[in-house]
Amino acid sequence: MPADPASPGAVPTRFLLMRVRGDAAGVRDAAGRLLALSPVPLALHRVAWSADAGEGYAYGLVPDGSAPDASAVAALERALAQALPAGAAPTVSRLEPRLDVPGASHGRSPSHHYVVETDAEDGWMDEIARWYDEEHMPGLAAVPGCVRAIRLISHDRGPRSFACYDLDGIATFGSPPWLAVRGTEWSSRTRPHFRNTKRTMFEVIG
């Protein structure tokens, strides 16, 4: 697996992620604004909201070959900020998939979307990526109730590493099989080298 280099211009992109503050209805409305204002055609892939965090994530699926550059992303952020209520504080990032694993419950509709965002201690990003790709994400994807596991790289805003898990029920998170995957020796060696880590459990609302 190659390193995850920064790239400020045109980059391989599969999703535009909009982070936005607000309640569930506001997040749904913002997702519609994302589609309407995007400089490239988007298909809405996932809208998720966290009551605890008071924010939502909307993922727009980008057709192949039509990724916006960094200046277009910045312009989209400005347009969204003007179109949405004060306090929404929308941000947009281009996300590049690095690993996509169908889960044990592939084909079911997810009710929850769990995201771990992190940077890495200097010199540790390659090892963290290898841990995710070879052990952690395939292991969690195999847990009953996991619909999909996907690792992405953010090209515009940190944290840089995105690990996303679609779950068909909140009980999957913290179940004995899930905790067993989290508790491996490799996990114990790798996780202390995470930096700027953010973990959020979202409800899927669209």
Side-chain angles (χ1 to χ4, degrees), residues 4 7 24 37 43 50 55 71 107 110 136-137 165 171 175 184 191 201:
D4 295 325
S7 180
L37 295 172
S50 168
E55 69 175 339
S71 62
H136 196 63
M137 298 200 82
Y165 308 90
S175 66
T184 67
R191 202 172 282 115
M201 179 65 76

Side-chain angles (χ1 to χ4, degrees), residues 8-177:
V11 296
T13 301
R14 188 59 173 163
F15 300 102
L16 289 186
L17 168 67
M18 178 186 64
R19 300 177 177 95
V20 62
R21 305 289 300 177
D23 60 15
V27 170
R28 288 193 188 95
D29 178 69
R33 302 279 185 164
L34 173 66
L35 298 187
L37 295 172
S38 171
V40 298
L42 296 178
L44 196 59
H45 170 73
R46 175 81 70 245
V47 183
W49 175 71
S50 168
D52 291 339
E55 69 175 339
Y57 284 13
Y59 298 82
L61 185 64
V62 180
D64 291 342
S66 61
D69 62 16
S71 62
V73 170
L76 176 56
E77 280 191 358
R78 292 193 295 270
L80 286 166
Q82 292 176 355
L84 296 174
T91 64
V92 179
S93 302
R94 293 165 295 175
L95 299 182
E96 176 188 353
R98 292 299 178 92
L99 183 71
D100 193 348
V101 186
S105 298
H106 180 68
R108 298 184 186 176
S109 295
S111 63
H112 290 78
H113 179 68
Y114 178 58
V115 182
V116 179
E117 305 166 55
T118 193
D119 293 317
E121 181 182 329
D122 288 348
W124 274 86
M125 182 56 83
D126 284 352
E127 177 67 7
I128 288 171
R130 191 168 71 87
W131 167 73
Y132 266 131
D133 294 352
E134 296 181 13
E135 179 185 90
H136 196 63
M137 298 200 82
L140 291 179
V143 173
C146 186
V147 176
R148 181 185 190 190
I150 181 169
R151 185 175 76 85
L152 309 107
I153 296 299
S154 173
H155 285 286
D156 298 290
R157 290 180 176 272
R160 182 143 174 76
S161 172
F162 262 64
C164 304
Y165 308 90
D166 285 340
L167 309 176
D168 74 355
I170 191 65
T172 303
F173 183 77
S175 66

